[in-house]
């Protein structure tokens, strides 16, 4: 999800030369006999070209992401050369300001400036290193800063020059979002407490508050606070920030641990007691072990070294969110602004659902089902505590950013993957309410705000510039894409309703799932927005269409995974459908030069998703598009397109040419590289395409996958030998282009044979993914 246009693909060449010096994985490390998987991860990937990732320290799904901020709107930009501070909260790959709470920076000398843009420290990438759970930089000031993390704390170590004026600045009044209230209190000669209230993201959301407490490993020799530009030495309280001074003439290192809570100051103190108290190196080693274990669930062999580095870096990013929201004592702040207890689960927050329902939700259901179950239950808790399901939630508030109904396929997918046992009816009640009505005026959520017209007319009318009565995006401003998203959600909700015995509901939702047909314009043979009078509206040219969110009619024509045969019928059959797909992917050019086609014909910039008739593999509406060929009798073209798109993922800072969106694009890279892809998000269908590795070993949770492991074999796969000739599932010939979740759970081995030419595999009418009726 992206909001601004800033930097084009030209960044790739500018940063490529220095990329490997910044990366933690070196070629020498990679060739060691006992190389760690964490050595293959480069956290700098995506920090250029608006990938908006962060290079700092975190543990899987941690509440804290301790990372440098350079002045970029979401934190760190590889093109920048000054660090304003190391702050506690970052979301990987978002497109709007959020987080960046409590930037901390070490300095020397007198404290005069209070704006971190003015006291920011210069640095060079040659003096910067990062690996999972660890970040280090040598600042031009002569200070070395190191960061690591636990789930709820950020741990920092600063090595100063020999001086009597070594300072650590804690800035409570500045963040990436808009700070609307802050306070700082020095409790004793080692401890500082802050309270920060902010709001923002892509709209002026409801405020939320974070509480922090920072404990140093030794007493400071002096201190003070500031309000605005006024610095008061010796003051213990203030609104802007605090400085703590140390004498480093003998002992040059200062360590500190900062704990975070979204509940209250007592929660932050409790998190510090529970997870603090260890030396920096011990915390760093523990963070590294947590990542090594998590990455060890997937072992690949084959492919070149760069592809393996890219793959494991994507795997790393896909495990960064959602994030733990409850304190160590089990308390969390719900969306009703009240404090609740987890009752035995881990409560998660930060829901980029418009993005993640398409890839990352299914990725986590496969590789982290225990956490994915708690994430789904957390979403149900949001509905039961606030009255409504979320759309795009940050921390303790709803932002209402993006459109459609992404929470429905998110939860129905959890149901189909077996993650909602004991919660099925609770989830269904919330989904039914969401699908059939609109939140009241006093609720923070917008929900399906286009529902009154969708239910009455069978489509959401497009109303140019429509603004909702609450913060966020209106579905009416994107009526065409909202209609398609609603129809997809209705289709997968019908499947859940039928499975639970709600047959009348199932029939009603199944009928509504065909609402996509109401947007089809026979004159242009594309989906088009309609106005409140029922007429098609906006330019007839599908490349310049209106009413689509972050895309055009070209991109959204394939967002009907519940009924692709229906789309094929509307387009006049398989031949014209394949012709249109070929034009969309520039298929002839792709065959001649896949990588060049991807970079020059598909993607001209990270935010170029309007006014175009070409595939954009780095924006969410297009993620499913290559897999459409599985339903049109030409599955080999899925592999051609997917493998070309994978060339856009590289092991350089510009290796993501667009926002990662909380692991959405990273999960696409991982799943597409393995050859298993959720072609019907919200339902248990896994599309098949040729893997890029000779072998992939997945370690799976036996509670959800009784075999406990799955091996995907494609010996000899390469750029040239990329076409599937046969597939065998545990030795049995498998002619379909998909697997069901039930089939996948029973499998131990999925074996591909590959060749240099397309084959007849998967080309029969019976081979295509099912229609959801």
């Amino acid at each position: 999800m992206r909001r601004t246009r800033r930097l084009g693909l030209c960044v790739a060449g500018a940063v490529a030369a220095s990329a490997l010096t910044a990366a933690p994985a070196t070629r020498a490390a990679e060739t060691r006999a006992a190389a760690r998987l964490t050595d293959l991860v480069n956290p700098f990937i995506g920090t250029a070209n608006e990938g908006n990732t962060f290079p700092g320290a975190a543990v899987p799904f941690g509440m804290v992401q301790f990372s440098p901020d350079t002045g970029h709107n979401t934190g760190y930009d590889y093109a920048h050369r000054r660090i304003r501070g190391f702050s506690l909260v970052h979301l990987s790959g978002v497109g709007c300001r959020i987080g960046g709470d409590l930037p901390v920076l070490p300095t020397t000398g007198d404290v005069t400036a209070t704006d971190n843009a003015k006291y920011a420290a210069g640095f060079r990438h040659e003096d910067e290193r990062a690996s999972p759970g660890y970040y280090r930089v040598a600042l031009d000031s002569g200070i070395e800063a190191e960061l690591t993390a636990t789930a709820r704390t950020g741990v920092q170590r600063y090595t100063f020059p020999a001086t009597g004026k070594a300072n650590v600045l804690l800035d409570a009044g500045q963040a990436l979002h808009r700070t609307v209230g802050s306070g700082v209190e020095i409790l004793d000669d080692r401890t500082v407490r802050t309270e920060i209230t902010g709001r923002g993201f892509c709209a002026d959301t409801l405020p939320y508050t974070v509480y922090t407490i920072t404990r140093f490993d030794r007493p400071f020799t002096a201190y003070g606070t500031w309000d605005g530009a006024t610095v008061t030495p010796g003051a213990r309280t203030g609104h802007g920030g605090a400085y703590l001074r140390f004498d480093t003439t003998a002992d040059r290192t200062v360590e500190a641990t900062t704990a975070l809570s979204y509940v209250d100051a007592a929660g932050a103190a409790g998190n510090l007691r529970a997870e603090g108290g260890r030396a920096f190196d011990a915390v760093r080693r523990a963070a590294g072990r947590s990542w090594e274990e998590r990455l060890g669930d997937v072992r690949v062999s084959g492919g070149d070294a760069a592809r393996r580095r890219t793959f494991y870096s994507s795997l790393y990013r896909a495990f960064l969110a959602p994030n733990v929201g409850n304190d160590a004592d089990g308390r969390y702040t719900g969306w009703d602004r009240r404090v609740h207890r987890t009752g035995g689960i881990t409560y998660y927050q930060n829901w980029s659902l418009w993005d993640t329902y398409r890839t990352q939700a299914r990725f986590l259901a496969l590789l982290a089902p225990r956490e994915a179950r708690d994430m789904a239950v957390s979403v149900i808790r949001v509905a039961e505590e606030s009255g409504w399901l979320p759309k795009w939630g940050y921390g303790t508030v709803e932002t209402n950013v993006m459109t459609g109904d992404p929470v429905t396929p998110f939860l129905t997918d959890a149901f189909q993957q077996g993650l909602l046992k004991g919660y099925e009816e609770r989830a269904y009640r919330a989904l039914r309410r969401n699908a059939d009505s609109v939140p009241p005026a006093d609720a923070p959520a917008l929900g399906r705000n286009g529902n009154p017209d969708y239910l009455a007319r069978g489509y959401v009318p497009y109303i140019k510039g429509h603004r909702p009565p609450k913060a966020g995006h209106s579905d009416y401003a994107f009526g065409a894409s909202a209609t398609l998203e609603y129809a997809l959600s209705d289709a997968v909700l019908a499947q859940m309703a039928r499975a639970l015995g709600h047959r009348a509901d199932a029939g009603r939702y199944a009928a509504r799932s065909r609402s996509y047909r109401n947007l089809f314009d026979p004159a242009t043979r594309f989906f088009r927005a309609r106005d409140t009078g029922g007429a098609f509206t906006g330019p007839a040219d599908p490349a310049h269409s209106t009413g689509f969110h972050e895309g055009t009619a070209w991109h959204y024509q394939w967002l009907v995974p519940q009924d692709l045969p229906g789309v094929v019928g509307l387009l006049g059959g398989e031949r014209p459908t394949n012709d249109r797909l070929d034009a969309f992917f520039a298929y002839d050019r792709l065959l001649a030069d896949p990588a060049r086609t991807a970079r020059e014909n598909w993607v001209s910039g990270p935010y170029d998703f309007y006014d175009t008739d070409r595939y954009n593999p780095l924006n969410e509406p297009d993620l499913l598009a290559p897999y459409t060929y599985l339903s049109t009798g030409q599955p080999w073209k899925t592999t051609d397109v997917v493998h070309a798109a994978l060339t856009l993922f590289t092991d350089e800072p510009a290796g993501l040419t667009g926002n990662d969106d909380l692991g959405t694009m990273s999960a696409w890279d991982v799943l597409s590289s393995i050859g298993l892809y959720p072609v019907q998000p919200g339902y248990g269908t896994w599309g098949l395409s040729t893997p890029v590795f000779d072998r992939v070993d997945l370690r799976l949770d036996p509670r959800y996958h009784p075999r406990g492991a799955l091996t995907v074999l494609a010996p000899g796969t390469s750029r040239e030998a990329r076409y599937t000739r046969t597939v065998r599932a545990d030795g049995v010939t498998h002619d379909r282009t998909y697997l069901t979740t039930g089939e996948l759970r029973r499998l131990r081995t999925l074996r591909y044979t590959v060749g240099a030419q397309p084959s007849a595999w998967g080309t029969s009418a019976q081979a295509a993914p099912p229609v959801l009726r």
Side-chain angles (χ1 to χ4, degrees):
M1 179 265 317
R2 301 109 165 135
R3 300 268 55 85
T4 58
R5 295 172 180 260
R6 295 187 65 249
L7 200 59
L9 287 174
C10 58
V11 174
V15 300
S18 59
L20 293 181
T21 63
T26 64
R27 296 184 189 279
E30 193 173 297
T31 57
R32 291 198 305 265
R36 297 169 300 183
L37 295 176
T38 48
D39 291 334
L40 300 178
V41 174
N42 180 0
F44 291 96
I45 294 174
T47 59
N49 221 12
E50 299 302 318
N52 292 351
T53 60
F54 63 87
V59 296
F61 312 119
M63 181 185 290
V64 168
Q65 305 84 35
F66 206 9
S67 190
D69 295 325
T70 64
H72 186 264
N73 67 305
T74 62
Y76 182 97
D77 189 320
Y78 199 84
H80 293 176
R81 293 295 181 268
R82 292 173 66 81
I83 290 175
R84 300 185 179 195
F86 307 102
S87 61
L88 292 172
V89 179
H90 298 83
L91 296 186
S92 183
V94 296
C96 299
R97 294 182 181 275
I98 201 68
D101 299 291
L102 195 65
V104 180
L105 193 73
T107 68
T108 58
D110 294 327
V111 177
T112 56
T114 61
D115 182 347
N116 61 31
K118 295 180 179 179
Y119 64 69
F123 74 104
R124 301 182 308 158
H125 291 305
E126 291 81 356
D127 299 321
E128 198 179 24
R129 293 290 183 272
S131 61
Y134 176 70
Y135 173 86
R136 179 187 71 79
V137 64
L139 302 172
D140 290 352
S141 60
I143 303 168
E144 180 183 81
E146 297 174 90
L147 312 177
T148 189
T150 70
R152 299 174 179 87
T153 74
V155 185
Q156 54 215 283
R157 178 166 65 192
Y158 304 120
T159 303
F160 289 91
T163 177
K165 291 185 176 180
N167 312 306
V168 178
L169 310 185
L170 277 67
D171 191 344
Q174 292 182 272
L176 298 176
H177 56 75
R178 183 161 66 91
T179 302
V180 296
S182 60
V184 59
E185 181 180 6
I186 298 172
L187 300 179
D188 56 39
D189 63 359
R190 292 173 183 252
T191 314
V192 183
R193 182 167 64 197
T194 72
E195 179 178 329
I196 302 164
T197 300
R199 65 194 311 167
F201 200 47
C202 298
D204 196 18
T205 62
L206 294 170
Y208 63 92
T209 301
V210 295
Y211 304 85
T212 79
I213 187 165
T214 302
R215 177 79 171 170
F216 289 85
D217 69 335
R218 58 171 161 140
F220 26 84
T221 59
Y223 56 84
T225 65
W226 67 79
D227 289 302
T230 302
V231 180
T232 307
R236 287 185 172 272
T237 60
H239 294 289
Y243 72 88
L244 304 316
R245 178 160 294 161
F246 301 87
D247 186 340
T248 59
T249 54
D251 183 356
R252 293 176 56 197
T253 63
V254 174
E255 293 187 14
T257 301
T258 301
L260 176 67
S261 170
Y262 288 84
V263 178
D264 54 26
N271 291 341
L272 183 64
R273 288 192 300 272
E275 299 182 14
R278 291 182 292 167
F280 182 92
D281 287 331
V283 177
R284 177 189 175 184
R285 287 192 295 270
R289 286 193 301 270
S290 71
W291 278 113
E292 193 68 29
E293 181 177 358
R294 183 66 66 176
L295 298 175
D297 286 340
V298 185
R299 300 272 179 174
V300 304
S301 59
D304 62 28
R307 177 98 285 272
R308 291 193 297 274
R309 288 193 298 271
T310 302
F311 177 86
Y312 277 104
S313 298
S314 290
L315 187 64
Y316 160 77
R317 291 190 303 271
F319 284 126
L320 285 170
N323 305 103
V324 172
N326 65 272
D327 289 338
D329 63 5
R331 296 184 305 148
Y332 67 91
T333 297
W335 285 24
D336 57 358
R337 306 299 183 91
R338 297 179 180 178
V339 177
H340 302 270
R341 290 197 172 271
T342 56
I345 70 162
T346 297
Y347 179 80
Y348 290 92
Q349 57 192 23
N350 300 336
W351 303 107
S352 182
L353 293 172
W354 187 82
D355 311 287
T356 59
Y357 90 80
R358 306 167 200 263
T359 58
Q360 196 235 14
R362 183 76 65 86
F363 164 88
L364 293 179
L366 178 66
L367 289 168
R370 180 175 60 82
E371 291 87 350
R373 172 180 167 82
D374 283 359
M375 291 168 188
V377 174
S378 298
V379 167
I380 296 169
R381 292 277 187 93
V382 169
E384 293 177 343
E385 291 161 4
S386 70
W388 219 262
L389 286 164
K391 180 172 285 187
W392 210 122
Y394 175 72
T396 60
V397 299
E398 171 67 275
T399 72
N400 290 312
V401 167
M402 307 312 291
T403 48
D405 178 20
V407 72
T408 292
F410 171 82
L411 278 179
T412 62
D413 206 287
F415 171 75
Q416 297 292 344
Q417 304 304 314
L419 303 179
L420 291 186
K421 292 190 183 304
Y423 287 86
E424 296 94 337
E425 289 295 341
R426 290 169 66 176
Y428 182 74
R429 284 195 297 271
L431 288 167
R432 188 177 189 273
R433 185 182 190 199
N434 176 74
D436 291 345
S437 54
V438 177
D442 60 351
L446 277 171
R448 288 192 183 193
N449 76 298
N451 245 356
D453 283 285
Y454 177 75
L455 299 180
R457 305 167 182 264
Y459 68 93
V460 180
Y462 167 62
I463 303 175
K464 184 178 180 180
H466 186 270
R467 300 181 67 85
K470 310 166 189 177
H473 293 130
S474 171
D475 287 344
Y476 285 106
F478 305 96
S481 56
T483 300
L484 295 172
E485 297 272 11
Y486 285 12
L488 168 58
S489 294
D490 284 338
V492 294
L493 185 55
Q495 302 303 311
M496 182 178 180
R498 186 172 294 112
L500 293 175
H502 303 291
R503 297 192 177 278
D505 284 354
R508 185 162 53 89
Y509 294 134
R512 279 169 30 182
S513 75
R514 294 185 284 276
S515 297
Y516 74 89
R517 292 173 172 268
N518 297 329
L519 298 186
F520 188 74
D521 180 2
T524 63
R525 291 189 176 274
F526 278 89
F527 297 127
R528 291 184 64 189
R530 303 180 77 157
D531 62 22
T532 55
F536 291 112
T537 185
D541 181 351
H544 303 287
S545 51
T546 57
F548 295 94
H549 207 165
E550 295 194 359
T552 68
W554 274 97
H555 304 129
Y556 275 92
Q557 64 188 316
W558 316 116
L559 192 63
V560 191
Q562 71 272 23
D563 186 18
L564 282 174
V567 175
V568 171
L570 291 174
L571 296 179
E574 284 190 355
R575 182 170 181 176
T577 301
N578 283 321
D579 288 346
R580 181 172 291 184
L581 283 165
D582 291 350
F584 182 55
F585 294 118
Y587 186 72
D588 289 343
R589 296 185 190 182
L590 179 153
L591 287 180
D593 193 335
R596 185 173 182 178
T597 300
R599 291 209 170 267
E600 295 183 3
N601 196 268
W602 289 352
V603 182
S604 58
Y607 296 111
D608 290 339
F609 33 70
Y610 291 115
D611 300 321
T612 177
D613 60 357
R614 289 293 188 268
Y615 173 49
N616 183 345
L618 299 174
N619 197 34
E620 282 71 16
D622 268 1
L623 295 183
L624 274 170
Y627 295 91
T628 306
Y629 284 119
L630 301 184
S631 295
T632 63
Q634 297 184 335
W636 68 90
K637 291 183 178 179
T638 289
T639 292
D640 286 330
V641 175
V642 167
H643 285 212
L646 287 171
T647 67
L648 294 169
F649 295 81
T650 72
D651 61 348
E652 301 169 354
L656 284 171
T657 49
N659 299 169
D660 194 36
D661 289 321
L662 270 68
T664 298
M665 305 312 305
S666 293
W668 189 95
D669 179 26
V670 170
L671 293 170
S672 293
S673 296
I674 293 172
L676 290 170
Y677 191 81
V679 293
Q680 291 179 318
Y683 191 65
T685 310
W686 298 82
L688 303 179
S689 64
T690 308
V692 300
F693 298 109
D694 290 336
R695 180 182 180 122
V696 182
D697 289 291
L698 304 175
R699 183 172 60 197
L700 304 174
D701 189 328
R703 289 171 293 184
Y704 297 92
H705 294 267
R707 295 280 192 172
L710 172 66
T711 298
V712 180
L713 299 168
T717 184
S718 67
R719 177 178 175 180
E720 292 74 26
R722 64 179 180 269
Y723 296 110
T724 298
R725 300 188 64 79
T726 64
V727 175
R728 296 181 71 84
D730 284 343
V732 178
T733 298
H734 185 86
D735 292 326
R736 287 183 282 113
T737 60
Y738 70 96
L739 288 166
T740 67
T741 290
E743 291 169 333
L744 190 65
R745 285 179 176 169
R746 295 189 294 271
L747 273 183
R748 183 175 293 278
T749 302
L750 188 66
R751 178 181 287 273
Y752 293 77
T753 58
V754 298
Q757 298 295 327
S759 74
W761 176 82
T763 58
S764 71
Q766 296 74 30
V771 175
L772 304 185
R773 302 187 187 280

